[in-house]
mmCIF file of all heavy atoms in Angstrom:
data_model
loop_
_atom_site.group_PDB
_atom_site.id
_atom_site.type_symbol
_atom_site.label_atom_id
_atom_site.label_comp_id
_atom_site.label_asym_id
_atom_site.label_seq_id
_atom_site.Cartn_x
_atom_site.Cartn_y
_atom_site.Cartn_z
ATOM 1 N N LEU V 249 -18.176 3.364 -11.380
ATOM 2 C CA LEU V 249 -19.034 3.148 -12.543
ATOM 3 C C LEU V 249 -18.487 2.001 -13.385
ATOM 4 O O LEU V 249 -17.273 1.818 -13.469
ATOM 5 C CB LEU V 249 -19.086 4.418 -13.399
ATOM 6 C CG LEU V 249 -19.567 5.701 -12.712
ATOM 7 C CD1 LEU V 249 -19.547 6.860 -13.703
ATOM 8 C CD2 LEU V 249 -20.981 5.516 -12.149
ATOM 9 N N LYS V 251 -19.249 1.793 -16.672
ATOM 10 C CA LYS V 251 -18.762 2.622 -17.782
ATOM 11 C C LYS V 251 -19.196 4.071 -17.545
ATOM 12 O O LYS V 251 -20.201 4.300 -16.857
ATOM 13 C CB LYS V 251 -19.208 2.079 -19.140
ATOM 14 C CG LYS V 251 -20.653 1.662 -19.268
ATOM 15 C CD LYS V 251 -20.863 1.122 -20.678
ATOM 16 C CE LYS V 251 -22.290 1.057 -21.160
ATOM 17 N NZ LYS V 251 -23.291 0.555 -20.239
ATOM 18 N N PRO V 252 -18.435 5.024 -18.078
ATOM 19 C CA PRO V 252 -18.678 6.423 -17.733
ATOM 20 C C PRO V 252 -20.109 6.869 -17.977
ATOM 21 O O PRO V 252 -20.642 7.692 -17.231
ATOM 22 C CB PRO V 252 -17.712 7.178 -18.646
ATOM 23 C CG PRO V 252 -16.624 6.222 -18.920
ATOM 24 C CD PRO V 252 -17.260 4.857 -18.941
ATOM 25 N N SER V 253 -20.766 6.325 -19.000
ATOM 26 C CA SER V 253 -22.112 6.796 -19.340
ATOM 27 C C SER V 253 -23.171 6.299 -18.360
ATOM 28 O O SER V 253 -24.328 6.673 -18.440
ATOM 29 C CB SER V 253 -22.451 6.347 -20.755
ATOM 30 O OG SER V 253 -22.189 4.968 -20.869
ATOM 31 N N ASP V 254 -22.778 5.447 -17.405
ATOM 32 C CA ASP V 254 -23.741 4.851 -16.468
ATOM 33 C C ASP V 254 -24.321 5.792 -15.421
ATOM 34 O O ASP V 254 -25.104 5.361 -14.591
ATOM 35 C CB ASP V 254 -23.054 3.715 -15.685
ATOM 36 C CG ASP V 254 -23.270 2.390 -16.364
ATOM 37 O OD1 ASP V 254 -23.922 2.379 -17.428
ATOM 38 O OD2 ASP V 254 -22.783 1.384 -15.842
ATOM 39 N N PHE V 255 -23.931 7.030 -15.425
ATOM 40 C CA PHE V 255 -24.277 7.910 -14.313
ATOM 41 C C PHE V 255 -25.419 8.871 -14.644
ATOM 42 O O PHE V 255 -25.390 9.565 -15.647
ATOM 43 C CB PHE V 255 -23.043 8.719 -13.919
ATOM 44 C CG PHE V 255 -23.305 9.696 -12.812
ATOM 45 C CD1 PHE V 255 -23.493 9.257 -11.511
ATOM 46 C CD2 PHE V 255 -23.385 11.061 -13.078
ATOM 47 C CE1 PHE V 255 -23.734 10.160 -10.488
ATOM 48 C CE2 PHE V 255 -23.621 11.970 -12.057
ATOM 49 C CZ PHE V 255 -23.801 11.513 -10.760
ATOM 50 N N THR V 256 -26.428 8.879 -13.776
ATOM 51 C CA THR V 256 -27.497 9.890 -13.860
ATOM 52 C C THR V 256 -27.622 10.517 -12.483
ATOM 53 O O THR V 256 -27.879 9.810 -11.512
ATOM 54 C CB THR V 256 -28.864 9.250 -14.216
ATOM 55 O OG1 THR V 256 -28.639 8.247 -15.210
ATOM 56 C CG2 THR V 256 -29.842 10.286 -14.725
ATOM 57 N N PRO V 257 -27.419 11.838 -12.381
ATOM 58 C CA PRO V 257 -27.482 12.456 -11.057
ATOM 59 C C PRO V 257 -28.898 12.459 -10.498
ATOM 60 O O PRO V 257 -29.859 12.558 -11.254
ATOM 61 C CB PRO V 257 -27.000 13.889 -11.314
ATOM 62 C CG PRO V 257 -27.216 14.125 -12.768
ATOM 63 C CD PRO V 257 -27.124 12.799 -13.457
ATOM 64 N N GLU V 258 -28.996 12.316 -9.180
ATOM 65 C CA GLU V 258 -30.297 12.434 -8.523
ATOM 66 C C GLU V 258 -30.488 13.876 -8.087
ATOM 67 O O GLU V 258 -29.551 14.507 -7.611
ATOM 68 C CB GLU V 258 -30.327 11.533 -7.279
ATOM 69 C CG GLU V 258 -30.942 10.172 -7.510
ATOM 70 C CD GLU V 258 -30.872 9.331 -6.235
ATOM 71 O OE1 GLU V 258 -31.433 9.778 -5.206
ATOM 72 O OE2 GLU V 258 -30.239 8.268 -6.270
ATOM 73 N N LYS V 261 -28.817 15.996 -4.944
ATOM 74 C CA LYS V 261 -27.637 15.344 -4.362
ATOM 75 C C LYS V 261 -26.357 15.983 -4.877
ATOM 76 O O LYS V 261 -26.295 16.455 -6.005
ATOM 77 C CB LYS V 261 -27.641 13.852 -4.692
ATOM 78 C CG LYS V 261 -28.528 13.051 -3.776
ATOM 79 C CD LYS V 261 -28.058 11.605 -3.717
ATOM 80 C CE LYS V 261 -28.773 10.849 -2.618
ATOM 81 N NZ LYS V 261 -28.419 9.432 -2.632
ATOM 82 N N ARG V 262 -25.336 15.980 -4.005
ATOM 83 C CA ARG V 262 -24.048 16.571 -4.378
ATOM 84 C C ARG V 262 -23.036 15.467 -4.673
ATOM 85 O O ARG V 262 -22.893 14.530 -3.899
ATOM 86 C CB ARG V 262 -23.541 17.462 -3.236
ATOM 87 C CG ARG V 262 -24.480 18.625 -2.919
ATOM 88 C CD ARG V 262 -24.144 19.209 -1.558
ATOM 89 N NE ARG V 262 -22.750 19.644 -1.492
ATOM 90 C CZ ARG V 262 -21.991 19.531 -0.405
ATOM 91 N NH1 ARG V 262 -22.451 18.996 0.704
ATOM 92 N NH2 ARG V 262 -20.749 19.964 -0.436
ATOM 93 N N TYR V 263 -22.357 15.630 -5.810
ATOM 94 C CA TYR V 263 -21.423 14.594 -6.249
ATOM 95 C C TYR V 263 -20.031 15.169 -6.508
ATOM 96 O O TYR V 263 -19.896 16.327 -6.898
ATOM 97 C CB TYR V 263 -21.905 13.958 -7.560
ATOM 98 C CG TYR V 263 -23.247 13.289 -7.457
ATOM 99 C CD1 TYR V 263 -24.404 13.970 -7.835
ATOM 100 C CD2 TYR V 263 -23.359 11.986 -6.991
ATOM 101 C CE1 TYR V 263 -25.654 13.366 -7.742
ATOM 102 C CE2 TYR V 263 -24.593 11.375 -6.899
ATOM 103 C CZ TYR V 263 -25.740 12.062 -7.272
ATOM 104 O OH TYR V 263 -26.956 11.455 -7.181
ATOM 105 N N ALA V 264 -19.010 14.335 -6.295
ATOM 106 C CA ALA V 264 -17.649 14.668 -6.727
ATOM 107 C C ALA V 264 -17.177 13.548 -7.636
ATOM 108 O O ALA V 264 -17.596 12.399 -7.483
ATOM 109 C CB ALA V 264 -16.727 14.796 -5.524
ATOM 110 N N LEU V 265 -16.340 13.894 -8.589
ATOM 111 C CA LEU V 265 -15.893 12.897 -9.563
ATOM 112 C C LEU V 265 -14.391 12.667 -9.504
ATOM 113 O O LEU V 265 -13.595 13.604 -9.516
ATOM 114 C CB LEU V 265 -16.270 13.362 -10.978
ATOM 115 C CG LEU V 265 -15.804 12.454 -12.133
ATOM 116 C CD1 LEU V 265 -16.532 11.112 -12.110
ATOM 117 C CD2 LEU V 265 -16.023 13.140 -13.483
ATOM 118 N N MET V 266 -14.024 11.382 -9.429
ATOM 119 C CA MET V 266 -12.631 10.993 -9.636
ATOM 120 C C MET V 266 -12.545 10.509 -11.071
ATOM 121 O O MET V 266 -13.078 9.461 -11.420
ATOM 122 C CB MET V 266 -12.224 9.875 -8.674
ATOM 123 C CG MET V 266 -10.789 9.406 -8.873
ATOM 124 S SD MET V 266 -10.454 7.857 -8.001
ATOM 125 C CE MET V 266 -9.473 8.447 -6.654
ATOM 126 N N SER V 267 -11.902 11.348 -11.885
ATOM 127 C CA SER V 267 -11.854 11.044 -13.308
ATOM 128 C C SER V 267 -10.458 10.601 -13.692
ATOM 129 O O SER V 267 -9.465 11.091 -13.161
ATOM 130 C CB SER V 267 -12.248 12.297 -14.097
ATOM 131 O OG SER V 267 -12.047 12.077 -15.470
ATOM 132 N N GLY V 270 -10.371 13.051 -17.329
ATOM 133 C CA GLY V 270 -11.155 14.284 -17.401
ATOM 134 C C GLY V 270 -11.757 14.530 -18.767
ATOM 135 O O GLY V 270 -12.022 15.665 -19.137
ATOM 136 N N GLU V 271 -11.951 13.489 -19.517
ATOM 137 C CA GLU V 271 -12.507 13.634 -20.865
ATOM 138 C C GLU V 271 -13.978 13.979 -20.813
ATOM 139 O O GLU V 271 -14.720 13.479 -19.982
ATOM 140 C CB GLU V 271 -12.375 12.320 -21.631
ATOM 141 C CG GLU V 271 -11.021 12.136 -22.227
ATOM 142 C CD GLU V 271 -10.876 10.754 -22.813
ATOM 143 O OE1 GLU V 271 -11.390 9.782 -22.221
ATOM 144 O OE2 GLU V 271 -10.247 10.652 -23.861
ATOM 145 N N GLU V 272 -14.379 14.792 -21.750
ATOM 146 C CA GLU V 272 -15.795 15.124 -21.855
ATOM 147 C C GLU V 272 -16.153 15.010 -23.328
ATOM 148 O O GLU V 272 -15.781 15.834 -24.133
ATOM 149 C CB GLU V 272 -16.016 16.553 -21.354
ATOM 150 C CG GLU V 272 -17.427 16.775 -20.877
ATOM 151 C CD GLU V 272 -17.619 18.166 -20.300
ATOM 152 O OE1 GLU V 272 -16.732 19.017 -20.465
ATOM 153 O OE2 GLU V 272 -18.668 18.397 -19.713
ATOM 154 N N LYS V 273 -16.820 13.908 -23.656
ATOM 155 C CA LYS V 273 -17.266 13.780 -25.037
ATOM 156 C C LYS V 273 -18.593 13.036 -25.049
ATOM 157 O O LYS V 273 -19.109 12.659 -24.001
ATOM 158 C CB LYS V 273 -16.210 13.089 -25.897
ATOM 159 C CG LYS V 273 -15.708 11.780 -25.344
ATOM 160 C CD LYS V 273 -14.585 11.226 -26.215
ATOM 161 C CE LYS V 273 -14.052 9.931 -25.647
ATOM 162 N NZ LYS V 273 -12.771 9.511 -26.153
ATOM 163 N N ASP V 274 -19.156 12.845 -26.235
ATOM 164 C CA ASP V 274 -20.460 12.195 -26.338
ATOM 165 C C ASP V 274 -20.472 10.849 -25.647
ATOM 166 O O ASP V 274 -19.546 10.064 -25.784
ATOM 167 C CB ASP V 274 -20.832 12.002 -27.818
ATOM 168 C CG ASP V 274 -21.499 13.253 -28.369
ATOM 169 O OD1 ASP V 274 -21.661 14.203 -27.572
ATOM 170 O OD2 ASP V 274 -21.831 13.268 -29.558
ATOM 171 N N GLY V 275 -21.524 10.603 -24.889
ATOM 172 C CA GLY V 275 -21.648 9.318 -24.220
ATOM 173 C C GLY V 275 -20.834 9.271 -22.933
ATOM 174 O O GLY V 275 -20.811 8.271 -22.252
ATOM 175 N N TYR V 276 -20.153 10.359 -22.617
ATOM 176 C CA TYR V 276 -19.389 10.399 -21.382
ATOM 177 C C TYR V 276 -20.130 11.238 -20.342
ATOM 178 O O TYR V 276 -21.230 11.721 -20.581
ATOM 179 C CB TYR V 276 -17.988 10.977 -21.632
ATOM 180 C CG TYR V 276 -16.997 9.921 -22.031
ATOM 181 C CD1 TYR V 276 -17.050 9.342 -23.295
ATOM 182 C CD2 TYR V 276 -16.035 9.488 -21.136
ATOM 183 C CE1 TYR V 276 -16.153 8.358 -23.655
ATOM 184 C CE2 TYR V 276 -15.138 8.509 -21.487
ATOM 185 C CZ TYR V 276 -15.196 7.939 -22.755
ATOM 186 O OH TYR V 276 -14.315 6.964 -23.103
ATOM 187 N N LEU V 277 -19.503 11.412 -19.220
ATOM 188 C CA LEU V 277 -20.117 12.171 -18.142
ATOM 189 C C LEU V 277 -20.221 13.645 -18.486
ATOM 190 O O LEU V 277 -19.411 14.181 -19.228
ATOM 191 C CB LEU V 277 -19.255 12.026 -16.881
ATOM 192 C CG LEU V 277 -19.176 10.623 -16.324
ATOM 193 C CD1 LEU V 277 -18.100 10.550 -15.253
ATOM 194 C CD2 LEU V 277 -20.517 10.218 -15.742
ATOM 195 N N ASP V 278 -21.224 14.298 -17.905
ATOM 196 C CA ASP V 278 -21.342 15.736 -17.997
ATOM 197 C C ASP V 278 -20.646 16.296 -16.745
ATOM 198 O O ASP V 278 -21.141 16.139 -15.633
ATOM 199 C CB ASP V 278 -22.823 16.117 -18.022
ATOM 200 C CG ASP V 278 -23.011 17.617 -18.174
ATOM 201 O OD1 ASP V 278 -21.984 18.347 -18.136
ATOM 202 O OD2 ASP V 278 -24.162 18.039 -18.318
ATOM 203 N N LEU V 279 -19.504 16.904 -16.933
ATOM 204 C CA LEU V 279 -18.713 17.338 -15.782
ATOM 205 C C LEU V 279 -19.458 18.380 -14.931
ATOM 206 O O LEU V 279 -19.151 18.565 -13.752
ATOM 207 C CB LEU V 279 -17.346 17.882 -16.222
ATOM 208 C CG LEU V 279 -16.449 16.880 -16.969
ATOM 209 C CD1 LEU V 279 -15.056 17.464 -17.182
ATOM 210 C CD2 LEU V 279 -16.337 15.537 -16.253
ATOM 211 N N ALA V 280 -20.462 19.016 -15.528
ATOM 212 C CA ALA V 280 -21.254 20.017 -14.795
ATOM 213 C C ALA V 280 -22.118 19.375 -13.702
ATOM 214 O O ALA V 280 -22.627 20.059 -12.822
ATOM 215 C CB ALA V 280 -22.130 20.792 -15.769
ATOM 216 N N ASP V 281 -22.295 18.052 -13.730
ATOM 217 C CA ASP V 281 -23.074 17.364 -12.690
ATOM 218 C C ASP V 281 -22.314 17.262 -11.370
ATOM 219 O O ASP V 281 -22.866 16.815 -10.369
ATOM 220 C CB ASP V 281 -23.416 15.927 -13.131
ATOM 221 C CG ASP V 281 -24.444 15.902 -14.255
ATOM 222 O OD1 ASP V 281 -25.184 16.898 -14.385
ATOM 223 O OD2 ASP V 281 -24.480 14.896 -14.985
ATOM 224 N N PHE V 282 -21.049 17.653 -11.379
ATOM 225 C CA PHE V 282 -20.223 17.424 -10.194
ATOM 226 C C PHE V 282 -19.768 18.725 -9.546
ATOM 227 O O PHE V 282 -19.382 19.662 -10.230
ATOM 228 C CB PHE V 282 -18.996 16.582 -10.587
ATOM 229 C CG PHE V 282 -19.391 15.264 -11.176
ATOM 230 C CD1 PHE V 282 -19.534 15.116 -12.555
ATOM 231 C CD2 PHE V 282 -19.681 14.188 -10.358
ATOM 232 C CE1 PHE V 282 -19.934 13.908 -13.094
ATOM 233 C CE2 PHE V 282 -20.077 12.979 -10.888
ATOM 234 C CZ PHE V 282 -20.209 12.837 -12.259
ATOM 235 N N GLU V 283 -19.825 18.712 -8.225
ATOM 236 C CA GLU V 283 -19.375 19.871 -7.470
ATOM 237 C C GLU V 283 -17.865 20.048 -7.647
ATOM 238 O O GLU V 283 -17.348 21.149 -7.678
ATOM 239 C CB GLU V 283 -19.712 19.634 -5.999
ATOM 240 C CG GLU V 283 -19.450 20.803 -5.137
ATOM 241 C CD GLU V 283 -20.137 20.615 -3.790
ATOM 242 O OE1 GLU V 283 -21.340 20.268 -3.761
ATOM 243 O OE2 GLU V 283 -19.456 20.806 -2.768
ATOM 244 N N GLN V 284 -17.166 18.945 -7.712
ATOM 245 C CA GLN V 284 -15.729 19.007 -7.973
ATOM 246 C C GLN V 284 -15.306 17.811 -8.808
ATOM 247 O O GLN V 284 -15.792 16.695 -8.603
ATOM 248 C CB GLN V 284 -14.946 19.015 -6.652
ATOM 249 C CG GLN V 284 -13.453 19.108 -6.878
ATOM 250 C CD GLN V 284 -12.745 19.955 -5.834
ATOM 251 O OE1 GLN V 284 -13.389 20.660 -5.052
ATOM 252 N NE2 GLN V 284 -11.437 19.910 -5.833
ATOM 253 N N VAL V 285 -14.405 18.069 -9.750
ATOM 254 C CA VAL V 285 -13.867 16.998 -10.574
ATOM 255 C C VAL V 285 -12.364 16.981 -10.345
ATOM 256 O O VAL V 285 -11.706 18.005 -10.470
ATOM 257 C CB VAL V 285 -14.142 17.261 -12.073
ATOM 258 C CG1 VAL V 285 -13.483 16.186 -12.938
ATOM 259 C CG2 VAL V 285 -15.651 17.305 -12.334
ATOM 260 N N MET V 286 -11.815 15.832 -9.946
ATOM 261 C CA MET V 286 -10.361 15.732 -9.842
ATOM 262 C C MET V 286 -9.878 14.672 -10.816
ATOM 263 O O MET V 286 -10.430 13.577 -10.890
ATOM 264 C CB MET V 286 -9.914 15.425 -8.405
ATOM 265 C CG MET V 286 -10.037 16.668 -7.514
ATOM 266 S SD MET V 286 -9.421 16.394 -5.845
ATOM 267 C CE MET V 286 -7.656 16.574 -6.088
ATOM 268 N N ILE V 287 -8.846 15.045 -11.551
ATOM 269 C CA ILE V 287 -8.353 14.178 -12.618
ATOM 270 C C ILE V 287 -7.080 13.481 -12.150
ATOM 271 O O ILE V 287 -6.178 14.115 -11.613
ATOM 272 C CB ILE V 287 -8.095 15.024 -13.885
ATOM 273 C CG1 ILE V 287 -9.413 15.729 -14.288
ATOM 274 C CG2 ILE V 287 -7.577 14.165 -15.027
ATOM 275 C CD1 ILE V 287 -9.221 16.818 -15.320
ATOM 276 N N GLU V 316 -21.897 11.641 -2.536
ATOM 277 C CA GLU V 316 -21.291 10.456 -3.147
ATOM 278 C C GLU V 316 -20.070 10.837 -3.996
ATOM 279 O O GLU V 316 -20.084 11.855 -4.695
ATOM 280 C CB GLU V 316 -22.329 9.761 -4.037
ATOM 281 C CG GLU V 316 -22.055 8.298 -4.250
ATOM 282 C CD GLU V 316 -23.215 7.552 -4.925
ATOM 283 O OE1 GLU V 316 -24.115 8.211 -5.523
ATOM 284 O OE2 GLU V 316 -23.215 6.331 -4.871
ATOM 285 N N ILE V 318 -18.052 9.672 -7.161
ATOM 286 C CA ILE V 318 -18.221 8.814 -8.327
ATOM 287 C C ILE V 318 -16.833 8.587 -8.931
ATOM 288 O O ILE V 318 -16.077 9.531 -9.139
ATOM 289 C CB ILE V 318 -19.131 9.499 -9.378
ATOM 290 C CG1 ILE V 318 -20.490 9.888 -8.752
ATOM 291 C CG2 ILE V 318 -19.313 8.620 -10.607
ATOM 292 C CD1 ILE V 318 -21.329 8.728 -8.260
ATOM 293 N N GLU V 320 -14.644 6.979 -12.100
ATOM 294 C CA GLU V 320 -14.645 6.412 -13.452
ATOM 295 C C GLU V 320 -13.778 5.158 -13.471
ATOM 296 O O GLU V 320 -12.751 5.106 -12.796
ATOM 297 C CB GLU V 320 -13.997 7.410 -14.420
ATOM 298 C CG GLU V 320 -14.938 8.386 -15.047
ATOM 299 C CD GLU V 320 -14.169 9.363 -15.960
ATOM 300 O OE1 GLU V 320 -12.974 9.147 -16.244
ATOM 301 O OE2 GLU V 320 -14.785 10.345 -16.347
#
Side-chain angles (χ1 to χ4, degrees):
L249 303 180
K251 46 182 199 316
S253 50
D254 267 1
F255 178 73
T256 319
E258 264 178 59
K261 279 205 170 175
R262 299 164 57 216
Y263 299 96
L265 177 67
M266 179 193 254
S267 173
E271 278 172 322
E272 204 176 11
K273 52 184 179 197
D274 274 359
Y276 272 73
L277 295 169
D278 182 354
L279 299 188
D281 289 337
F282 301 93
E283 187 165 311
Q284 181 143 348
V285 176
M286 285 184 80
I287 302 167
E316 204 170 17
I318 304 297
E320 270 178 11

